[in-house]
Amino acid sequence: MNITVIGRGGTGGGLADLWERAGHQVTRLGRGGGDVGASEAVLLAVPGTAVEVALSSVTGLEGKTVLDATNL
């Protein structure tokens, strides 16, 4: 599965590591954002107060399954 992780902290980075070890293709996005258009699923793992800023630099989210792991 092609998964994009938005957020490189403990939750996002940890899940990305696990998914890579399980054989999935993982793209990691940080503050620079990027395009998630090729992904089958997206993990949003940023602080709750940073969601708007994090998503403002991400394209291709339309129609994607997004797992929300934000935390206030």
Side-chain angles (χ1 to χ4, degrees):
M1 178 176 262
N2 187 342
I3 304 167
T4 296
V5 175
I6 303 169
R8 295 183 175 181
T11 301
L15 286 169
D17 290 343
L18 290 171
W19 288 330
E20 284 175 336
R21 284 194 294 263
H24 299 289
Q25 181 174 342
V26 178
T27 301
R28 300 168 190 237
L29 299 181
R31 289 187 173 101
D35 184 11
V36 301
S39 298
E40 297 168 80
V42 177
L43 172 69
L44 178 62
V46 298
T49 57
V51 170
E52 185 176 351
V53 172
L55 293 180
S56 69
S57 59
V58 174
T59 60
L61 278 169
E62 297 80 23
K64 298 296 175 195
T65 298
V66 178
L67 305 168
D68 183 359
T70 57
N71 190 351
L72 291 175

